[in-house]
Amino acid sequence: MKSAVFFALLPTLLSATSVLAVAPIPQKISNLPTVPNKFIIEVDDLASIPNKRSFTRSLDAVYSALNARDVQYEVNKEYDTDGVFVGAALTLSSAEDVRAVEETPGVKAIRPVRAFKQPILAKKHVVTGHNDPELPADTLSTHVMTGVDKLHAEGNVGAGIKIGIIDTGIDYKHASLGGGIGGNFLVAGGYDFVGDAYNGNNDPVPDADPYDNCNGHGTHVAGIIAAQPGNEYNITGVAYGSKIYSYRVFGCSGSVTEEVLVDALIRGYKDGNDILTLSLGGADGWSASSSAIVAGRLADLGKIVTIAAGNDGAAGSWYSSSPGNAHDVISVASVENTVISLQSAIVHGATYGPIVYFGTRPFPVTTELPIYAISNSTTISNDACDPLPDSTPDLSSYLVIVRRGSCTFITKLANIAAKGGKATLIYDNGNGFAGISVGTYVATLIQAADGEFLVNQFAAGDKISISFPQTGGAVDFPSETGGLVSTFTSYGPSNDFYFKPAVAAPGGNILSTYPLALGGFAVLSGTSMATPFLAGTSALYLNAKGKSAGVAKAARDVFETTATKIPSSKTDGDPLQTLTQAGAGLVDAYKAIHGTTVISPGELVLNDTAHFKGIQTFTVKNTGRTNKRYTLSHVPAGTALTIQEGSILAEVGPVPLSTNYASVTVVPSSFSLAPGRSQVVVAVIKPPAGVDASRYPIYSGFIDVTSASDVTHVSYLGLVGSLKNKQVVDNTDAFFGIKTPVIIDATGNWQEAATNYTFANGDWPSLLWKLAFGTPALRVDLVSAAINLKPTLSARGFPFGPFFTFPTKHRSGSYAQVKIVGPLASFDYIPRHDDLDNAPYSLFNLETSTFANGTTIPSGTYRVLLRALRVTGNPLLEEDYESWLSPIVGITAP
Ligand SMILES: *[C@@H]1O[C@H](CO)[C@@H](O)[C@H](O)[C@H]1NC(C)=O
Ligand SMILES: *[C@@H]1O[C@H](CO)[C@@H](O)[C@H](O)[C@H]1NC(C)=O
Ligand SMILES: *[C@@H]1O[C@H](CO)[C@@H](O)[C@H](O)[C@H]1NC(C)=O
Ligand SMILES: *[C@@H]1O[C@H](CO)[C@@H](O)[C@H](O)[C@H]1NC(C)=O
Ligand SMILES: *[C@@H]1O[C@H](CO)[C@@H](O)[C@H](O)[C@H]1NC(C)=O
């Protein structure tokens, strides 16, 4: 049947084929595009490799074993740093070879090579000059928000600390970034792993020089860390006394593959950086990628590793980003800058003002205009919603004043334009002072009180006129969202319930350096901007506390326990923001360094109800010089309702919050500590009652530890419900209008009846699926057409054929007992789909009639069996998988 839906779908499907179609040989992939036929292997220590003979490197022993098995492989890159990562990036030529490598003694793991796109920024504006209205007026507001200004005042600017930035390179010729590269400069060294032309799909062309004058991202990141004082915009980096090492892994545009990223991480480690920072990644939900594993190891070795939490907040919960998912690294959320720069108008004929209007650029009116109020009432609810009366004068020489409400701005402005009106100020009616849409009309929003003043003056017959300065009219205005978590910040936790993100830093509306060739300075927004802020903060922390591995490994706990709690809105009474987006709060650099109460660990992970750890312990230590009396108290954050009501699909961001909170008992709930003494505290946490477990509510909050001189806290995170119950495969018709999974033929039909495929002239089947939740294992197998198996998911209302007339039997107890003819594909640790993505589904194309191992499938009639393991499920147990069985697929030998 040719479905109407399918026509609308086709272009998307075709474009997706090139990106997401499974590569010539099946790989274990996630939804991140992976590089066809390339893999990263990790090998054992030499000591644990059998038959190592005279080899001095374990890699050589493994190569020799591969040669003995006649595996065809090409070595693209070797990683040989004992204690960090020993392995190689390989290109393999067939699925049999992948299997052979996997089974070769000495090979610890083989993982696909992932690609990460250039970070997509939430905002990008290149500053045009000193009078650019988008320049934040207080360039140090982010430092004030986090106490960095106070550390600078003490002289702590991160001196003696080396920070490796893995990014697009740096325009180090920028005077604010030192003006050069080498030992005496701010940018002391680095490496270009890729070259300008690299885009993730071509061969990198490395050289020693990480100069960037074409991309800009890394230059902005570098300025947040270390812009030198005294520049024309008076911005300074958080740790402008540190030394920067620049590792360029992106070309001018495109992606980076893990082959390069793993290399850069290891190089950053070997160069002796104290901190490594990565403003990159992709939605994932798992921590199984090679780069996440290497990043996590560097953290375990005593490096502070800061990685962006991701900018996928709109996609909702359970969508944390890799490599930020890596255990022990610090995943960084973004908070909005407290100030935004708005424009102001001058009032003539009365002593009033200036009047701030909601525009980041000057209002395009260059002459002083008298005002005309459409109504003399300041309470009118439907001002200018109807055509204006005949008595209305020609409005073309006036600045029209109209009250917001009842109809759209466009309706009001059209009625005003019908009387010749060319420029309008709309005054707020209490709805909120924010950006408005006025189409092509010249109009902007002012605050209610300002509008009421103008109308009252007009009604009293006073002659009032207004002018709009075209330069110098910018004012600092408190941002409505200032101090809140940036809505673009990706929500965690990871699917295995790791506390992601860890902590937040300013990342929304940030002015920093930009390549000279691209304008010199820019305002950008993203977790990409928050991440270097935390790297800079880490440098101040190491400068103050010393560079030992112990100090570095304690950093995350210290930042978490001293962070500032973040509300979910500016409305009194609204809950704190869920820790699944805010982490433990906004970093407080001053408190992290000068605090005299140390709590560890910083995170209490309670996990789901099936693996519930409701009894937790933590230690409170008084590192101050005086006795302290502590009192402990519970401060809950909003409970995130992560799944839509009555659905299996995730709530999109902003994720709704409930005020049903956990209850917490702590023992002891108060105690005194002499200097240097510590106390173990037991916390008993009970999940909230009255929440619907089918919405997978994640509750979170803090246990505050308060003394007369300080407040610190430990964060907790738990789930009402068991992840093993969470449906993984999306079998709804919500996205395509037809239920998934579905088999599609090459001409665009979706298959509902038995269909034969010849594998000639494009006549082959594709399996399309969508995941509503991440899965640790997804398997696609060919099974007998007559298989006696009742799938857990029946895809559609129409009958599948005679098979379904079998009486329902109990499912077999074990995964292995399901009789398959042969495997077609398998994918490990893959994320759910996101409907906002370009390709919110996966497509497996069976282009040749071969099993996963490359062997030809004998002609016959089969079904395709898709199985997805539920999170925390046992991979050996069939009942922990969801299964879907296709209609009959006939395979005719080509
Ligand atoms: C420039 O920054 C310094 C702090 O670094 C501050 O004291 C000074 O007021 C700023 N000047 C302007 C013009 O913003
Ligand atoms: C508003 O007041 C002004 C000044 O008194 C007057 O000229 C105008 O007609 C009034 N407008 C309306 C709509 O009544
Ligand atoms: C949560 O429980 C699952 C199942 O035991 C486990 O795999 C996972 O590691 C746990 N998460 C954390 C953060 O401990
Ligand atoms: C598919 O091929 C089989 C065997 O060649 C044949 O018996 C069957 O009728 C074919 N089915 C369809 C729908 O063409
Ligand atoms: C490939 O897989 C098929 C199906 O599992 C199996 O029958 C065949 O023996 C395998 N071939 C090789 C060379 O291992």
Side-chain angles (χ1 to χ4, degrees):
M1 179 212 254
K2 180 134 328 211
S3 125
V5 169
F6 200 79
F7 286 110
L9 197 77
L10 196 58
T12 338
L13 284 177
L14 287 178
S15 66
T17 309
S18 56
V19 183
L20 263 189
V22 172
I25 47 174
Q27 307 173 56
K28 297 169 176 176
I29 64 161
S30 83
N31 240 31
L32 305 170
T34 58
V35 186
N37 304 4
K38 290 197 174 187
F39 299 84
I40 293 177
I41 60 166
E42 182 171 8
V43 305
D44 280 322
D45 302 344
L46 195 57
S48 38
I49 298 183
N51 308 322
K52 55 183 173 284
R53 291 181 297 184
S54 57
F55 296 111
T56 53
R57 299 192 322 154
S58 46
L59 274 172
D60 293 324
V62 167
Y63 296 151
S64 155
L66 293 178
N67 295 338
R69 294 171 166 236
D70 217 13
V71 172
Q72 303 295 304
Y73 64 94
E74 188 189 316
V75 178
N76 306 118
K77 204 151 234 174
E78 290 187 332
Y79 315 107
D80 197 7
T81 306
D82 275 332
V84 180
F85 195 80
V86 181
L90 305 180
T91 303
L92 297 170
S93 58
S94 77
E96 280 105 327
D97 286 348
V98 176
R99 170 79 71 83
V101 171
E102 203 162 17
E103 290 169 356
T104 298
V107 175
K108 256 207 282 208
I110 174 165
R111 304 184 179 100
V113 170
R114 296 186 182 187
F116 296 109
K117 285 186 204 131
Q118 291 255 349
I120 297 166
L121 294 165
K123 168 172 180 165
K124 178 169 162 181
H125 171 75
V126 176
V127 170
T128 54
H130 286 284
N131 293 322
D132 187 314
E134 290 203 28
L135 271 185
D138 177 9
T139 54
L140 292 171
S141 53
T142 56
H143 293 188
V144 175
M145 287 166 76
T146 53
V148 165
D149 58 333
K150 288 189 273 177
L151 294 168
H152 286 178
E154 290 175 351
N156 181 352
V157 293
I161 308 300
K162 288 166 77 167
I163 305 179
I165 301 177
I166 299 179
D167 211 296
T168 67
I170 296 177
D171 181 358
Y172 49 74
K173 294 180 186 168
H174 200 299
S176 296
L177 295 173
I181 186 168
N184 297 325
F185 291 100
L186 167 67
V187 181
Y191 192 71
D192 179 355
F193 290 88
V194 293
D196 280 1
Y198 177 70
N199 60 18
N201 297 317
N202 51 5
D203 285 335
V205 182
D207 65 70
D209 183 0
Y211 178 62
D212 169 24
N213 70 346
C214 62
N215 189 305
H217 187 271
T219 301
H220 199 268
V221 161
I224 291 170
I225 295 177
Q228 301 297 292
N231 59 62
E232 50 188 314
Y233 293 106
N234 200 19
I235 56 165
T236 54
V238 174
Y240 61 83
S242 62
K243 286 283 184 197
I244 300 291
Y245 287 74
S246 172
Y247 303 101
R248 186 178 191 217
V249 297
F250 288 102
C252 294
S253 61
S255 306
V256 59
T257 71
E258 284 192 308
E259 260 178 321
V260 171
L261 208 47
V262 168
D263 215 5
L265 280 162
I266 295 172
R267 173 77 181 249
Y269 172 78
K270 290 210 289 201
D271 284 355
N273 286 288
D274 305 299
I275 297 162
L276 289 164
T277 188
L278 294 82
S279 289
L280 53 82
D284 184 343
W286 300 100
S287 48
S289 68
S290 295
S291 54
I293 283 166
V294 174
R297 278 196 200 141
L298 300 184
D300 291 340
L301 287 164
K303 301 298 172 189
I304 297 181
V305 184
T306 53
I307 308 185
N311 298 340
D312 290 308
S317 305
W318 307 101
Y319 214 50
S320 56
S321 174
S322 254
N325 274 327
H327 302 170
D328 302 329
V329 308
I330 308 181
S331 161
V332 191
S334 169
V335 159
E336 289 295 300
N337 202 341
T338 46
V339 298
I340 47 171
S341 181
L342 294 181
Q343 294 291 315
S344 59
I346 308 294
V347 179
H348 306 271
T351 311
Y352 191 83
I355 289 178
V356 177
Y357 55 94
F358 208 96
T360 51
R361 304 202 148 266
F363 202 57
V365 168
T366 51
T367 53
E368 186 178 319
L369 292 178
I371 62 170
Y372 180 88
I374 300 294
S375 167
N376 285 345
S377 159
T378 56
T379 55
I380 183 170
S381 62
N382 62 343
D383 207 6
C385 287
D386 296 316
L388 302 181
D390 293 345
S391 57
T392 310
D394 175 10
L395 297 176
S396 62
S397 56
Y398 291 101
L399 177 68
V400 178
I401 313 292
V402 66
R403 188 165 190 256
R404 181 177 196 169
S406 283
C407 58
T408 65
F409 298 119
I410 302 290
T411 303
K412 290 176 196 279
L413 295 169
N415 288 330
I416 290 164
K419 291 291 177 189
K422 289 190 177 126
T424 304
L425 293 184
I426 302 168
Y427 65 101
D428 192 35
N429 60 352
N431 235 351
F433 189 50
I436 59 170
S437 292
V438 295
T440 54
Y441 293 106
V442 174
T444 189
L445 189 72
I446 60 174
Q447 295 174 90
D450 293 332
E452 287 159 14
F453 170 81
L454 294 175
V455 170
N456 289 335
Q457 297 293 304
F458 180 75
D462 290 352
K463 295 257 169 297
I464 300 282
S465 60
I466 290 182
S467 63
F468 298 90
Q470 297 299 300
T471 60
V475 293
D476 246 8
F477 195 81
S479 163
E480 285 237 322
T481 53
L484 298 179
V485 180
S486 306
T487 52
F488 54 74
T489 299
S490 296
Y491 287 84
S494 68
N495 295 323
D496 43 8
F497 225 86
Y498 279 81
F499 187 87
K500 301 286 175 185
V503 71
N509 263 316
I510 307 298
L511 172 65
S512 183
T513 45
Y514 217 50
L516 298 171
L518 302 177
F521 290 87
V523 178
L524 307 185
S525 292
T527 53
S528 282
M529 283 65 246
T531 304
F533 195 98
L534 199 70
T537 307
S538 302
L540 304 183
Y541 165 82
L542 291 180
N543 172 286
K545 302 274 182 186
K547 305 207 292 181
S548 75
V551 169
K553 287 164 87 163
R556 190 173 70 185
D557 281 348
V558 171
F559 292 144
E560 286 176 349
T561 55
T562 55
T564 308
K565 301 183 184 87
I566 307 175
S568 60
S569 82
K570 297 268 169 118
T571 306
D572 275 0
D574 277 1
L576 292 174
Q577 185 55 282
T578 167
L579 276 56
T580 61
Q581 194 187 31
L586 174 64
V587 69
D588 183 336
Y590 189 82
K591 199 159 140 190
I593 289 170
H594 290 295
T596 54
T597 297
V598 173
I599 302 183
S600 68
E603 317 164 342
L604 308 177
V605 174
L606 313 180
N607 222 320
D608 67 355
T609 44
H611 308 90
F612 185 56
K613 294 202 198 86
I615 302 177
Q616 298 273 343
T617 57
F618 58 93
T619 305
V620 179
K621 183 172 186 185
N622 177 6
T623 58
R625 291 211 192 89
T626 54
N627 285 336
K628 283 191 194 175
R629 174 90 195 147
Y630 289 103
T631 316
L632 276 59
S633 55
H634 174 217
V635 182
T639 296
L641 304 174
T642 66
I643 302 296
Q644 295 172 28
E645 192 167 4
S647 166
I648 58 163
L649 303 174
E651 284 278 9
V652 297
V655 171
L657 301 180
S658 145
T659 51
N660 290 60
Y661 301 132
S663 56
V664 177
T665 314
V666 282
V667 181
S669 59
S670 64
F671 50 87
S672 296
L673 286 179
R677 303 308 295 265
S678 22
Q679 169 76 48
V680 173
V681 176
V682 178
V684 182
I685 302 170
K686 275 177 57 188
V691 286
D692 174 2
S694 72
R695 302 195 65 189
Y696 291 84
I698 301 180
Y699 55 94
S700 57
F702 306 94
I703 298 167
D704 273 0
V705 178
T706 308
S707 78
S709 57
D710 57 11
V711 188
T712 43
H713 57 72
V714 58
S715 305
Y716 69 84
L717 189 71
L719 172 71
V720 176
S722 165
L723 285 176
K724 213 165 84 180
N725 296 334
K726 177 68 195 81
Q727 184 168 332
V728 165
V729 176
D730 181 354
N731 65 335
T732 71
D733 62 2
F735 190 80
F736 287 117
I738 56 166
K739 287 186 174 179
T740 50
V742 64
I743 300 267
I744 290 166
D745 75 15
T747 56
N749 297 321
W750 50 279
Q751 183 190 332
E752 52 180 355
T755 305
N756 287 337
Y757 295 90
T758 61
F759 295 87
N761 306 317
D763 181 29
W764 36 261
S766 296
L767 174 64
L768 181 153
W769 71 85
K770 271 175 78 62
L771 292 180
F773 210 74
T775 173
L778 187 135
R779 304 283 178 258
V780 182
D781 296 311
L782 207 59
V783 297
S784 156
I787 187 172
N788 180 7
L789 176 131
K790 172 96 177 87
T792 67
L793 307 165
S794 28
R796 290 196 290 273
F798 61 83
F800 276 85
F803 162 72
F804 280 99
T805 64
F806 284 102
T808 304
K809 286 198 176 179
H810 287 115
R811 268 180 287 129
S812 58
S814 143
Y815 176 78
Q817 277 165 18
V818 175
K819 205 165 150 24
I820 66 166
V821 178
L824 296 178
S826 85
F827 309 90
D828 287 351
Y829 297 109
I830 52 179
R832 70 174 169 88
H833 289 110
D834 159 19
D835 284 357
L836 306 171
D837 201 47
N838 293 330
Y841 50 83
S842 293
L843 197 58
F844 170 72
N845 300 326
L846 192 65
E847 290 182 53
T848 57
S849 67
T850 51
F851 293 110
N853 64 4
T855 303
T856 300
I857 301 170
S859 293
T861 56
Y862 305 96
R863 293 177 194 268
V864 174
L865 173 63
L866 175 143
R867 285 179 288 179
L869 183 61
R870 290 189 172 187
V871 175
T872 72
N874 178 343
L876 301 178
L877 292 183
E878 177 66 11
E879 58 259 43
D880 288 358
Y881 287 82
E882 288 163 18
S883 53
W884 175 87
L885 202 54
S886 79
I888 290 175
V889 170
I891 290 186
T892 320

